[in-house]
């Protein structure tokens, strides 16, 4: 996600930086939660309902951050 902006093209807006941080952290959390759903054989079975709720929350946060980025960058490009 950070590759959206080259080092010489840092996001100007704090809102963009905040949205990118939310997007990145949510993607890492989603990856972690998905790994929990497929544990190694010897470990105990995960609480699939809890993992599912966490995956849904991560997906929501990703969608929220993406919407914020689209809104902010559209406004910035129109100015």
């Amino acid at each position: 996600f950070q590759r959206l902006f080259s080092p010489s093209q840092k996001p100007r807006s704090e809102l963009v930086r905040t949205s990118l941080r939310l997007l990145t952290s949510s993607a890492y959390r989603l990856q972690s939660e998905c790994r929990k759903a497929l544990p190694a054989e010897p470990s105990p079975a995960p609480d699939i309902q809890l993992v599912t709720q966490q995956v849904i929350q991560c997906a929501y946060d990703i969608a929220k951050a993406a919407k914020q980025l689209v809104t902010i960058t559209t406004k910035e490009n129109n100015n």
Side-chain angles (χ1 to χ4, degrees):
F1 300 110
Q2 294 170 343
R3 290 186 204 139
L4 290 172
F5 299 93
S6 68
S8 63
Q9 185 189 9
K10 290 185 180 178
R12 293 177 282 175
S13 161
E14 182 60 34
L15 287 173
V16 171
R17 288 190 291 273
T18 300
S19 295
L20 286 172
R21 281 193 294 271
L22 176 60
L23 190 58
T24 302
S25 65
S26 297
Y28 285 121
R29 280 183 38 232
L30 179 61
Q31 184 180 37
S32 173
E33 292 300 330
C34 289
R35 282 189 183 131
K36 289 179 189 176
L38 299 170
E41 287 298 320
S43 63
D47 178 348
I48 202 67
Q49 186 174 8
L50 177 61
V51 172
T52 300
Q53 289 172 348
Q54 293 298 320
V55 166
I56 291 168
Q57 183 62 52
C58 293
Y60 173 82
D61 290 341
I62 290 169
K64 179 180 172 182
K67 181 180 177 186
Q68 288 173 352
L69 283 172
V70 169
T71 302
I72 294 164
T73 54
T74 300
K75 285 181 182 178
E76 286 181 357
N77 290 337
N78 288 335
N79 289 334

